[in-house]
């Protein structure tokens, strides 16, 4: 072997892993991921090939190949056989981005042509996989939207069933102290025995942990197509609580400890206090959103053609505020479903911390949690968050007072900045500190009496 070739190989071995990764044009990791994941240049797939610049290691779970040096990675990506002298030198050439010096063995024209063909075939296969996966994702999304739409369409129209209407009206009265007008039931529908699923049973089928009355609201897009639904399970017998059922599900720890499932045997079972204390079971939320929600809103009362819109995060709070102002005829009342959809994504540079927003640590201490800032993310798509129609001139956003104040204030400021335009007057209404709207308003009504 000539001195030039020896030196060439030594130089290639001295190239750092990260440098080799850059020369081989491995894409940067996706945001928030420690390593690049993608299809393997040899065996395809979607995410089986991983390259970690910082830890200087690469791996393909499909080929069972991997290593810690740039030359091996180059050989894998470029379909070179390092056991052959020519293949090895070609791999060195790739990490150095320099031609093989005179005297070094190199592949023949035919070998090179065959190899480039293999690379192209692998790339085409990866592209096809990506397309298949996207198609599958779209199909899944379409089916999920269809299902969610049917939950609402097939629910009971309360205008044709007064018992159902009374039940929802009683629930909303219990939560807000206001009797809702009939117009609400254009949107809010009921199911008398709606299944609540959590986890899987012994055969891997979705497990029904509860079945009971539910309020179903449609989620509509800005062109008023139904894209999802919002479900609230109700239990008026639980009057001291929030008039919703108390639901329990097996936690991860419980499953690990071999604790039994809590199937719905006629009525939902409550785990023992000891098992609850040990964290084997967790309280389940009594609200769910199905289908698609971002970019949409839940119509509650009135016509969207109105030039005054009033909305907030949750259905009950918006109804409480609407009741307090007398369910105005000139106003369209709506809920965003959740605060993320109301506020929209934040510009990451505007994040901040505050002593009131912390994560509790296992050692008893606390750590400040980053709060998404008041500045909206640039270049948002229309379905990144709720949109307000162009004809609206007055927008009132009712903030939820029962969540953390600073966090909510930042989110509301973001919503206002995001929706701001010259011909729209936006106001944010706050309940008194430490209270939610229904609590504050019931207290005010009690005071008046
Ligand atoms: Zn592979």
């Amino acid at each position: 072997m000539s001195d030039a070739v020896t030196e060439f190989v030594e130089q290639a071995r001295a190239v750092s892993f990260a440098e080799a990764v850059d020369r081989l044009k491995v894409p940067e990791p996706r945001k928030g991921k420690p390593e690049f994941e993608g299809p393997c240049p040899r065996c395809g797939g979607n995410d089986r090939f991983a390259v970690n610049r910082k830890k200087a290691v690469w791996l393909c779970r499909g080929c069972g190949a991997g290593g810690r040096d740039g030359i091996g990675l180059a050989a894998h990506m470029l379909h070179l056989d390092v056991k052959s002298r020519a293949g090895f030198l070609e791999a060195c050439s790739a990490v150095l981005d320099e031609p093989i010096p005179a005297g070094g063995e190199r592949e023949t024209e035919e070998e090179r042509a065959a190899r480039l063909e293999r690379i192209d075939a692998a790339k085409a296969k990866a592209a096809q996989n990506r397309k298949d996966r996207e198609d599958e994702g779209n199909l899944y999304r379409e089916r999920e939207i269809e299902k969610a739409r049917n939950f609402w369409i097939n629910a009971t129209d309360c205008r044709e069933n007064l018992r159902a209407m009374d039940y929802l009206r009683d629930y909303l009265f219990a939560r807000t102290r206001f009797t809702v007008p009939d117009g609400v039931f254009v949107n809010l529908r009921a199911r008398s025995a709606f299944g609540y699923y959590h986890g899987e049973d012994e055969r891997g089928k979705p497990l029904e942990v509860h079945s009971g009355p539910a309020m179903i609201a449609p989620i509509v897009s800005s062109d008023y197509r139904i894209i999802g639904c919002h479900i609230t399970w109700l239990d008026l017998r639980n009057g001291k609580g929030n008039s919703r059922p108390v639901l329990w599900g097996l936690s991860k720890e419980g499953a690990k400890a071999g604790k039994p499932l809590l199937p719905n045997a006629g009525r939902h079972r409550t785990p023992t206090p000891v098992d609850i204390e040990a964290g084997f079971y967790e309280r389940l939320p009594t609200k769910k959103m199905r289908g698609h929600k971002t970019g949409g809103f839940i119509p509650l009362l009135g016509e969207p053609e109105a030039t005054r819109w009033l909305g907030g995060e949750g259905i009950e709070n918006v109804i409480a505020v609407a009741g307090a102002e007398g369910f105005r005829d000139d106003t369209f009342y709506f809920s965003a479903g959740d605060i993320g959809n109301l506020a929209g994504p934040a510009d990451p540079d505007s994040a901040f911390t505050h002593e009131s927003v912390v994560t509790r640590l296992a050692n008893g201490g606390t750590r400040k949690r980053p709060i998404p800032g008041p500045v909206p993310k640039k270049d948002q798509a229309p379905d990144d968050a709720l949109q307000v129609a162009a004809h609206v001139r007055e927008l009132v956003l009712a903030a939820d007072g029962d969540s953390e104040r600073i966090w909510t204030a930042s989110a509301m400021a973001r919503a206002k900045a995001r929706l701001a335009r010259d011909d729209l007057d936006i106001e944010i209404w706050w309940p008194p500190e430490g209270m939610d709207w229904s609590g504050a308003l019931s207290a005010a009504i009690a005071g008046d009496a």
Side-chain angles (χ1 to χ4, degrees), residues 132-144:
D132 288 352
R133 202 168 46 154
E134 268 170 27
D135 290 350
E136 219 171 273
N138 287 342
L139 191 67
Y140 175 80
R141 204 180 105 123
E142 286 303 314
R143 277 205 202 116
E144 183 54 25

Side-chain angles (χ1 to χ4, degrees), residues 30 35 104 112 246 258 281 283 291 313 331 333 342 375 417 443:
R30 245 175 291 163
E35 58 193 18
R112 174 175 293 263
V246 177
Y281 296 94
R283 276 291 287 275
E313 185 185 333
T331 300
Y333 297 98
L342 185 63
V375 181

Side-chain angles (χ1 to χ4, degrees), residues 272-430:
T272 66
V274 176
D275 281 352
I276 293 172
E277 184 64 31
F280 292 147
Y281 296 94
E282 58 196 357
R283 276 291 287 275
L284 302 174
T286 45
K287 287 181 172 189
K288 278 188 189 183
M289 284 193 270
R290 296 289 303 265
H292 195 70
K293 66 175 180 198
T294 53
F297 55 82
I298 300 166
L300 293 175
L301 180 66
E303 300 299 329
E305 287 74 27
T307 55
R308 182 176 187 263
W309 281 24
L310 186 153
E313 185 185 333
I315 293 174
E316 295 82 358
N317 270 338
V318 172
I319 289 186
V321 176
E325 64 170 24
F327 298 109
R328 282 170 61 163
D329 285 336
D330 66 346
T331 300
F332 172 63
Y333 297 98
F334 68 95
S335 146
D338 61 30
I339 189 128
N341 186 36
L342 185 63
D347 183 334
D349 291 338
S350 71
F352 64 103
T353 58
H354 186 269
E355 65 259 11
S356 66
V357 180
V358 294
T359 306
R360 303 221 167 272
L361 302 172
N363 66 14
T366 55
R367 188 176 52 223
K368 283 189 207 162
R369 207 147 33 92
I371 303 166
V375 181
K377 192 188 94 179
K378 285 171 199 76
D379 303 323
Q380 294 188 29
D383 63 351
D384 276 352
L386 172 139
Q387 303 297 323
V388 169
H391 66 265
V392 180
R393 292 290 170 268
E394 195 184 343
L395 175 65
V396 178
L397 300 175
D400 266 19
D402 42 1
S403 330
E404 206 296 312
R405 196 89 172 184
I406 298 288
W407 199 93
T408 310
S410 179
M412 297 308 284
R414 194 160 73 245
K416 189 173 177 179
R418 181 175 71 79
L419 296 166
R421 54 179 153 85
D422 287 344
D423 55 359
L424 180 65
D425 178 44
I426 307 177
E427 264 186 67
I428 298 174
W429 288 2
W430 288 92

Side-chain angles (χ1 to χ4, degrees), residues 73-399:
L73 175 62
H76 185 79
M77 291 181 67
L78 301 172
H79 292 239
L80 292 161
D81 178 9
V82 281
K83 286 195 231 65
S84 90
R85 185 71 192 161
F88 177 70
L89 291 180
E90 292 289 349
C92 291
S93 160
V95 299
L96 281 170
D97 200 16
E98 276 174 28
I100 299 168
E105 296 86 341
R106 57 195 73 213
E107 57 189 354
T108 65
E109 283 308 314
E110 293 84 55
E111 280 167 348
R112 174 175 293 263
R115 180 166 65 83
L116 293 180
E117 212 166 279
R118 286 202 298 277
I119 293 175
D120 283 347
K123 272 188 194 156
K125 200 174 151 199
Q128 184 62 45
N129 280 352
R130 196 162 50 234
K131 193 180 169 299
D132 288 352
R133 202 168 46 154
E134 268 170 27
D135 290 350
E136 219 171 273
N138 287 342
L139 191 67
Y140 175 80
R141 204 180 105 123
E142 286 303 314
R143 277 205 202 116
E144 183 54 25
I145 287 176
E146 192 57 33
K147 230 190 265 174
R149 194 180 281 149
N150 285 333
F151 283 149
W152 183 79
I153 289 171
N154 297 330
T156 304
D157 184 335
C158 298
R159 293 168 298 176
E160 291 159 14
N161 184 320
L162 294 181
R163 270 186 57 197
M165 187 185 277
D166 283 346
Y167 198 88
L168 291 198
R169 193 171 256 147
D170 287 351
Y171 166 72
L172 291 168
F173 183 83
R175 293 298 308 277
T176 69
R177 297 288 139 194
F178 289 104
T179 301
V180 292
D182 287 0
V184 162
F185 301 105
V186 172
N187 299 304
L188 299 183
R189 295 189 163 192
R191 300 283 291 241
S192 56
F194 202 53
Y196 187 108
Y197 293 85
H198 177 77
E200 292 177 344
D201 68 11
E202 293 82 357
R203 288 165 302 161
K205 293 251 169 63
L207 178 74
E208 185 182 77
V209 296
H210 169 77
S211 172
M215 176 170 79
I216 321 271
I219 302 173
V220 302
S221 60
S222 43
D223 54 353
Y224 310 124
R225 279 177 311 113
I226 303 178
I227 53 172
C229 74
H230 180 288
I231 309 160
T232 314
W233 276 266
L234 313 178
D235 184 357
L236 295 188
R237 291 165 306 178
N238 186 18
K240 282 195 216 101
N242 53 8
S243 298
R244 309 236 201 98
V246 177
L247 301 178
W248 295 94
L250 192 62
S251 68
K252 274 193 195 128
E253 291 75 35
K256 251 187 254 161
K259 287 285 161 182
L261 298 164
L262 299 172
N264 173 35
R267 63 189 277 269
H268 189 66
R269 270 191 272 157
T270 303
T272 66
V274 176
D275 281 352
I276 293 172
E277 184 64 31
F280 292 147
Y281 296 94
E282 58 196 357
R283 276 291 287 275
L284 302 174
T286 45
K287 287 181 172 189
K288 278 188 189 183
M289 284 193 270
R290 296 289 303 265
H292 195 70
K293 66 175 180 198
T294 53
F297 55 82
I298 300 166
L300 293 175
L301 180 66
E303 300 299 329
E305 287 74 27
T307 55
R308 182 176 187 263
W309 281 24
L310 186 153
E313 185 185 333
I315 293 174
E316 295 82 358
N317 270 338
V318 172
I319 289 186
V321 176
E325 64 170 24
F327 298 109
R328 282 170 61 163
D329 285 336
D330 66 346
T331 300
F332 172 63
Y333 297 98
F334 68 95
S335 146
D338 61 30
I339 189 128
N341 186 36
L342 185 63
D347 183 334
D349 291 338
S350 71
F352 64 103
T353 58
H354 186 269
E355 65 259 11
S356 66
V357 180
V358 294
T359 306
R360 303 221 167 272
L361 302 172
N363 66 14
T366 55
R367 188 176 52 223
K368 283 189 207 162
R369 207 147 33 92
I371 303 166
V375 181
K377 192 188 94 179
K378 285 171 199 76
D379 303 323
Q380 294 188 29
D383 63 351
D384 276 352
L386 172 139
Q387 303 297 323
V388 169
H391 66 265
V392 180
R393 292 290 170 268
E394 195 184 343
L395 175 65
V396 178
L397 300 175

